[in-house]
Amino acid sequence: NAGVTQTPKFQVLKTGQSMTLQCAQDMNHNSMYWYRQDPGMGLRLIYYSASEGTTDKGEVPNGYNVSRLNKREFSLRLESAAPSQTSVYFCASSEPARNYYEQYFGPGTRLTVT
Amino acid sequence: ELKVEQNPLFLSMQEGKNYTIYCNYSTTSDRLYWYRQDPGKSLESLFVLLSNGAVKQEGRLMASLDTKARLSTLHITAAVHDLSATYFCAVVRGGTYKYIFGTGTRLKVLA
């Protein structure tokens, strides 16, 4: 039982390049989330997926797109990376029917855009 | 707009001392969470508080919730070095899946 996994762990991009961050969970959770964490700040919600087939914007969705590929996988895409997107990205999952929506977080992806 | 404020932002304390971290939020919320984050690591869930007056304890940490005051506290009893970390509270806007995090309290326990 790996919990929530993210790939890659580290990535360096040049301005304008695109990439997709991958997230998978093996806990059979319905809800999945993408956050970014900037130095000295808490986490900010980028997008979430309440259940398979649905996605919604969070606090800071601009510059990102998401895909809920199936119940296990939720990917985050940067179409044209900008230095302001340098951050640590966390994926999380939760199951509303159990554990009161308690979120389980992946290890994070450290992204640098030069 | 739901806002979450934590204070203090930084806390340096001696081993064996007690202290409290405060988490204020601006509008009604269904649930409040406390997380711990070690440097360079992910977030670990500590407590989930669901109702007014809820109190949860784990080891030297105790969390409580006052929904009328829109305030949660995380009390540290007889701090030890292993508690050094950043602590976040988060609330969920009622009826949504949108978690709003506080800016965190960086705790350093000095031996």
Side-chain angles (χ1 to χ4, degrees):
Chain A
N1 190 343
V4 180
T5 57
Q6 292 182 235
T7 56
K9 287 187 167 54
F10 301 93
Q11 185 70 50
V12 178
L13 290 178
K14 294 187 176 175
T15 298
Q17 287 184 320
S18 62
M19 79 162 295
T20 300
L21 281 62
Q22 306 286 355
C23 174
Q25 51 92 10
D26 62 2
M27 295 174 284
N28 202 34
H29 286 173
N30 275 300
S31 304
M32 298 186 73
Y33 313 79
W34 275 106
Y35 292 91
R36 61 178 287 173
Q37 184 178 30
D38 299 306
M41 297 184 69
L43 276 68
R44 291 183 294 169
L45 182 64
I46 304 171
Y47 271 93
Y48 66 97
S49 172
S51 60
E52 187 178 356
T54 70
T55 60
D56 281 290
K57 295 178 181 179
E59 286 181 90
V60 289
N62 291 344
Y64 305 95
N65 284 301
V66 291
S67 296
R68 183 76 184 266
L69 304 169
N70 48 56
K71 191 173 185 179
R72 290 187 64 248
E73 298 172 288
F74 189 36
S75 63
L76 179 71
R77 183 159 178 84
L78 286 70
E79 291 291 350
S80 180
S84 61
Q85 294 178 304
T86 293
S87 190
V88 180
Y89 291 85
F90 289 101
C91 177
S93 70
S94 70
E95 178 47 60
R98 300 194 304 269
N99 296 329
Y100 308 105
Y101 296 80
E102 185 175 10
Q103 292 190 313
Y104 296 82
F105 285 85
T109 295
R110 293 183 179 276
L111 175 66
T112 302
V113 183
T114 61
Chain B
E1 182 186 350
L2 178 56
K3 292 186 178 180
V4 181
E5 292 184 350
Q6 285 183 239
N7 67 84
L9 297 182
F10 299 97
L11 177 56
S12 180
M13 56 192 296
Q14 297 288 330
E15 276 194 331
K17 298 293 187 183
N18 303 333
Y19 208 82
T20 300
I21 298 170
Y22 297 88
C23 173
N24 290 88
Y25 54 98
S26 59
T27 62
T28 56
S29 171
D30 291 353
R31 306 176 293 280
L32 189 137
Y33 304 81
W34 283 97
Y35 295 90
R36 168 182 172 144
Q37 185 179 37
D38 292 304
K41 302 293 185 183
S42 187
L43 279 76
E44 173 191 353
S45 178
L46 294 174
F47 302 110
V48 180
L49 302 170
L50 300 175
S51 60
N52 188 44
V55 177
K56 294 261 184 94
Q57 182 163 6
E58 180 74 32
R60 300 174 188 276
L61 299 177
M62 183 174 71
S64 65
L65 179 62
D66 181 343
T67 58
K68 293 178 182 176
R70 297 175 186 161
L71 170 69
S72 179
T73 60
L74 181 65
H75 187 72
I76 303 155
T77 302
V80 293
H81 179 71
D82 285 352
L83 289 179
S84 297
T86 299
Y87 293 86
F88 292 96
C89 63
V91 298
V92 180
R93 190 176 300 161
T96 76
Y97 291 77
K98 294 185 177 181
Y99 293 72
I100 307 296
F101 279 75
T103 50
T105 296
R106 188 181 300 177
L107 171 66
K108 187 173 182 179
V109 181
L110 305 172

